Amino acid sequence: MIASTWRPLLRKAARSYVAGPELTDALRLAQTFVARGVPASTLCFWDAQDDLPRHVADMYLAAVQAIRSARLDSYVSIKAPSLAFDAGLVVEIAEAAWQAGVRLHFDSLGAETVDHTFQLIEQLLNRFVDSDRQTPLPDGRGSVDAATLTPLLLSRDRQGAVSPKRLSTRAPLGCTIPGRWRRSPRDAERAVQMGLRVRVVKGQWADPGAAVDPHSAFLDVIDALAGGAAPVAVATHHPVLAAAAIRKLQSAGTPCEMELLYGLPSRAVLKVARDLGVPVRYYLPYGHAWLPYALRHARRDPRILWWVLRDASRTSLATIHGH
């Protein structure tokens, strides 16, 4: 029903919620934010369902090189299912990101993808922190052995587990954890032990078991992360929830930032960020697959439909009045 009725308006409004169809559009928008005093951004290629994993990997690789060339304070968000969980492709992207000094982040999709995604991250950690290999430094600055590299990135205890307290804030890997899954606090503890930077979101996919309160569950994940050494991104447009999460992290001494989805209302949460003294980062999606995403999630959250219809009407009025 939504697809047949609102598709034309959604297509018109899509420009308000994505940087554009191409990587150059995302880079241009990121540089616009830099000029406005928001230097940090996240670039995410939204692939279509019929995109082959090799094509998706090439898009991620292009984003890595573009960030390096433009010297942006940006990182690349990837979706492991879009790569068919291909370890070879993931390693290729991670190697390129490490060489470029660009952080790599794993987005969250359905709950059924979590364990496989963590397995891929563990493989990368084992590959980049390996006592038997020389590891190249970012930006072509030579190489170091693991004895030198490990204190800079990850410290392992005698049993081989990651020690979170000695993790550098420049950890090269991150993941997203949704608040609305019952398993998420355990996943957050796992991420802390692995030394990952974490983006906390409410989440679009419901818990496959019993439903949880999205606000209290979001804060449960924050509690599990508080006290860890790796920075946490608070990704919500709800100002009261954002403020509560940031205060918890600040009280525990955990570095944090606000991460906002480009196009959604942000004035209230930006005020929270200013008042609490935390930096802001914008998540900038680009690609051709925004419309199916919007249609799918508008069914779950009617506010999305309202926002895009509002923006579509504004676009139409601007066209009529010549703006």
Side-chain angles (χ1 to χ4, degrees), residues 16-17 19 26 29-34 36-44 67 72-77 103 199 233-237 257-271 273-274 279-286:
S16 299
Y17 295 86
L29 184 58
Q31 289 163 341
T32 298
F33 276 118
V34 170
R36 294 176 181 174
V38 183
S41 58
T42 303
L43 303 190
C44 179
I67 289 171
L72 290 170
D73 180 10
S74 302
Y75 68 85
V76 175
S77 249
R103 179 155 54 96
R199 180 200 304 143
V234 176
T236 176
H237 287 253
E257 66 181 8
M258 184 87 75
E259 184 159 334
L260 303 176
L261 178 60
Y262 172 67
L264 296 187
S266 58
R267 182 177 299 177
V269 283
L270 286 174
K271 183 178 186 304
R274 287 195 302 270
V280 174
R281 178 183 299 273
Y282 274 94
Y283 184 96
L284 307 178
Y286 63 97

Side-chain angles (χ1 to χ4, degrees), residues 105-125:
H105 187 98
F106 287 79
D107 271 345
S108 171
L109 295 175
E112 73 281 358
T113 70
V114 176
D115 289 329
H116 204 163
T117 298
F118 269 122
Q119 290 170 9
L120 287 172
I121 295 173
E122 287 176 345
Q123 291 176 28
L124 292 179
L125 291 177

Side-chain angles (χ1 to χ4, degrees), residues 108-109 176-181 200-206 214 218 235 297 300:
S108 171
L109 295 175
T176 296
I177 298 180
R180 64 185 304 179
W181 297 341
V200 184
V201 299
K202 284 186 181 178
Q204 294 292 341
W205 286 265
F218 187 100
H297 295 296
R300 298 188 179 101

Side-chain angles (χ1 to χ4, degrees), residues 18 20-21 45-49 51 286-294 296:
V18 292
F45 170 65
W46 278 0
D47 55 288
Q49 290 184 346
D51 282 344
Y286 63 97
H288 298 273
W290 184 87
L291 184 58
Y293 175 93
R296 182 168 65 250

Side-chain angles (χ1 to χ4, degrees), residues 133-149:
R133 72 190 294 263
Q134 290 280 318
T135 305
L137 286 170
D139 300 322
R141 294 173 294 176
S143 63
V144 293
D145 59 26
T148 304
L149 174 67

Side-chain angles (χ1 to χ4, degrees), residues 34-291:
V34 170
R36 294 176 181 174
V38 183
S41 58
T42 303
L43 303 190
C44 179
F45 170 65
W46 278 0
D47 55 288
Q49 290 184 346
D50 57 351
D51 282 344
L52 296 176
R54 178 69 257 176
H55 172 72
V56 176
D58 288 341
M59 296 299 100
Y60 294 150
L61 289 167
V64 166
Q65 297 307 322
I67 289 171
R68 178 181 186 177
S69 297
R71 299 183 179 275
L72 290 170
D73 180 10
S74 302
Y75 68 85
V76 175
S77 249
I78 71 173
K79 298 175 175 59
S82 298
L83 298 168
F85 296 103
D86 186 318
L89 292 178
V90 172
V91 167
E92 180 184 354
I93 298 164
E95 290 276 10
W98 174 240
Q99 290 282 355
V102 174
R103 179 155 54 96
L104 196 63
H105 187 98
F106 287 79
D107 271 345
S108 171
L109 295 175
E112 73 281 358
T113 70
V114 176
D115 289 329
H116 204 163
T117 298
F118 269 122
Q119 290 170 9
L120 287 172
I121 295 173
E122 287 176 345
Q123 291 176 28
L124 292 179
L125 291 177
N126 290 332
R127 182 179 182 87
F128 286 108
V129 185
D130 183 343
S131 60
D132 295 328
R133 72 190 294 263
Q134 290 280 318
T135 305
L137 286 170
D139 300 322
R141 294 173 294 176
S143 63
V144 293
D145 59 26
T148 304
L149 174 67
T150 298
L152 298 176
L153 295 178
L154 305 170
S155 175
R156 297 182 182 274
D157 62 22
R158 293 179 182 178
Q159 288 72 41
V162 173
S163 173
K165 292 297 183 181
R166 293 178 60 193
L167 176 69
S168 165
T169 57
R170 295 189 64 213
L173 296 175
C175 70
T176 296
I177 298 180
R180 64 185 304 179
W181 297 341
R182 291 174 298 169
R183 64 171 292 163
S184 289
R186 296 191 304 275
D187 290 335
E189 293 172 359
R190 184 178 184 181
V192 169
Q193 290 301 316
M194 295 170 69
L196 304 178
R197 300 175 70 134
V198 175
R199 180 200 304 143
V200 184
V201 299
K202 284 186 181 178
Q204 294 292 341
W205 286 265
D207 191 294
V212 298
D213 176 72
H215 283 215
S216 62
F218 187 100
L219 293 177
D220 287 343
V221 175
I222 294 294
D223 284 335
L225 296 169
V232 174
V234 176
T236 176
H237 287 253
H238 192 288
V240 175
L241 181 60
I246 290 169
R247 288 191 179 103
K248 283 176 177 285
L249 294 167
Q250 289 178 330
S251 296
T254 298
C256 60
E257 66 181 8
M258 184 87 75
E259 184 159 334
L260 303 176
L261 178 60
Y262 172 67
L264 296 187
S266 58
R267 182 177 299 177
V269 283
L270 286 174
K271 183 178 186 304
V272 169
R274 287 195 302 270
D275 291 346
L276 295 180
V278 297
V280 174
R281 178 183 299 273
Y282 274 94
Y283 184 96
L284 307 178
Y286 63 97
H288 298 273
W290 184 87
L291 184 58

